Amino acid sequence: MRYDDDAQLDTSEVTDTRGEGGGGPVGLGGGGLGGGLLPLLIGFLFRGRSGKASWVVILVAVVGFVAVQYLGGGTGSSSSVAGGFGAPGGPGRAGASDLASECRTGADANAKLDCAIVADINSIQAYWSGGGYAQIAPTVRGAAPRYQNVDTVFFSNSVNTRCGSANSSAGPFYCPGDHLVYIDLSFYDQLKSQFGAEGGPLVNAYVLAHEYGHHVQDLLGTEAKLQTLKGASSDSVRLELQADCFAGVWMNHASQPVGGKPALISDITQADLNSTVDAAQRIGDDYIQGKLGGGTVNPDSFTHGSSAQRKKWLTTGFTTGDARRCDTFSTNNLG
C-alpha cells in the first residue's frame, strides 16, 4: 500500500502528547483504572443513561477488556509495551513537537510511520464524513444526524482520559467520554512480536479504522443494543465484529476520491489484504485462548469474536463496501 505523494496531510486531526511525561489533554488525573481493562467505563457513564448505570458498568468493563485483548493483548499492568519504533526524533519518526512540520504530504507518509498514521486518520474520517456515515445513519433510530470528526491522541507509556488512565499495554482504544481515539504507536511492534502478525501499512491502518468504527457506533447509539456480555454470539462480540466490518468498508473506499479530493491511499495490493486478514484472525478469542494463552478454547467466554468471525466480517465490509451490510446485531449467522 502506498500514499499519493502529492496528497496534503492534515495533522490537526492528531493530538501529539508524546514527550509530555504522560497524561493527556483532558485527563482525570493519574492512576486508578490502569492498563486497559476499563478505558471505556467512565466514558459510557458520562452518557448519563438513567436507570442503566449498574448494567452499563458491567457491560463496559467487558467492552474495555475487549479493547485490551483485541488490540492490545495487555495485562493491565503499569509497564510499557515492549519494542516500539525508536525514540522521538529517530529515523522514521517525528518528534512530539515536529508532527505538523514533518508530515505535510503523502510522500512524507510513504517515508515515516507517524505521517502514515496521520494519512490513515485523514482517509478514514474523510470517508465517514464524506458520505459513509450518511449511508447508514438513516437506518438506525436515534442516530446522530451526521458524522463528527474526532482526534487521535498519540501518547507514550501512559495517558489520562475522561475514561480514566491507561498505559501502553492497553493497546489502542476509543473513549466515548471525550470522543477521542488513543494509541501508543509502539503497539504496532507488539502486534507483530506478541501476536505474530505480519504487519504492514494496511494492517496499521486497519487498527485505526477499527477504533473509528467504535466512534461510528457511538454516534449511532449502538451500545444501547447490548444485552449479553459473553459467548460466541453475544452482543459484545457483535459490537467488535461490526467495528471490524466498518473497518473493511473503509478499506473498500480508501483508494477512491472523496468530496472532489483525490484519494490519499493508492496501490492496495492483495498482499496488503492478506496481511490484514491474517492480523484480524490472530486477535480472535479462540486464537488468543488456544495459541497465545496456551489454554482451552471456551466459546462461552468469548467477548470479541473468533478468528473465523473476524475474518468474515472484515471481509464482508471490504467486499461489499456497504456499511448497511455490517448489521451484526440482526443476523443469526455470525460465522
Side-chain angles (χ1 to χ4, degrees), residues 145-167:
R146 61 185 59 85
Y147 181 79
Q148 301 165 18
N149 277 27
V150 296
D151 281 6
T152 289
V153 177
F154 290 176
F155 71 95
S156 296
N157 300 322
S158 64
V159 66
N160 297 322
T161 80
R162 290 187 70 93
C163 297
S165 61
N167 60 29

Side-chain angles (χ1 to χ4, degrees), residues 47 148-151 174-181 215 218-219:
R47 297 184 68 84
Q148 301 165 18
N149 277 27
V150 296
D151 281 6
Y174 170 73
C175 172
D178 52 30
H179 308 291
L180 295 170
V181 172
H215 175 54
D218 189 24
L219 296 174

Side-chain angles (χ1 to χ4, degrees), residues 106-130:
D108 298 326
N110 285 319
K112 303 182 182 74
L113 172 70
D114 298 37
C115 304
I117 302 306
V118 171
D120 295 337
I121 294 164
N122 292 169
S123 176
I124 293 163
Q125 298 215 92
Y127 168 70
W128 288 113
S129 62

Side-chain angles (χ1 to χ4, degrees), residues 311-333:
K311 176 182 178 180
K312 173 182 176 177
W313 287 99
L314 176 63
T315 303
T316 295
F318 177 75
T319 56
T320 67
D322 187 348
R324 294 169 295 187
R325 299 289 295 274
C326 296
D327 186 3
T328 56
F329 290 90
S330 296
T331 182
N332 292 322
N333 182 22

Side-chain angles (χ1 to χ4, degrees), residues 133-141 143-145 220:
Y133 183 78
Q135 181 185 55
I136 189 173
T139 70
V140 180
R141 184 177 180 180
L220 295 174

Side-chain angles (χ1 to χ4, degrees), residues 78-272:
S78 59
S79 61
S80 301
V81 175
F85 297 102
R93 175 169 182 162
S97 62
D98 298 331
L99 201 63
S101 62
E102 295 198 16
C103 299
R104 298 178 180 273
T105 68
D108 298 326
N110 285 319
K112 303 182 182 74
L113 172 70
D114 298 37
C115 304
I117 302 306
V118 171
D120 295 337
I121 294 164
N122 292 169
S123 176
I124 293 163
Q125 298 215 92
Y127 168 70
W128 288 113
S129 62
Y133 183 78
Q135 181 185 55
I136 189 173
T139 70
V140 180
R141 184 177 180 180
R146 61 185 59 85
Y147 181 79
Q148 301 165 18
N149 277 27
V150 296
D151 281 6
T152 289
V153 177
F154 290 176
F155 71 95
S156 296
N157 300 322
S158 64
V159 66
N160 297 322
T161 80
R162 290 187 70 93
C163 297
S165 61
N167 60 29
S168 298
S169 64
F173 63 94
Y174 170 73
C175 172
D178 52 30
H179 308 291
L180 295 170
V181 172
Y182 292 87
I183 185 171
D184 184 328
L185 297 185
S186 66
F187 166 72
Y188 291 123
D189 261 3
Q190 185 189 22
L191 188 60
K192 292 185 286 186
S193 63
Q194 181 174 341
F195 291 90
E198 298 175 25
L202 190 61
V203 174
N204 295 346
Y206 158 59
V207 169
L208 272 300
H210 177 97
E211 296 309 326
Y212 275 95
H214 284 310
H215 175 54
V216 171
Q217 291 171 326
D218 189 24
L219 296 174
L220 295 174
T222 307
E223 81 278 1
K225 298 180 180 180
L226 302 180
Q227 298 294 325
T228 56
L229 306 180
K230 292 183 179 181
S233 61
S234 65
D235 285 351
S236 56
V237 164
R238 293 172 189 269
L239 187 80
E240 294 301 317
L241 296 181
Q242 186 179 64
D244 271 350
C245 188
F246 284 163
V249 170
W250 164 75
M251 286 165 53
N252 176 281
H253 295 273
S255 59
Q256 299 173 8
V258 177
K261 297 181 179 180
L264 282 164
I265 293 173
S266 62
D267 300 330
I268 293 179
T269 67
Q270 187 62 48
D272 293 321

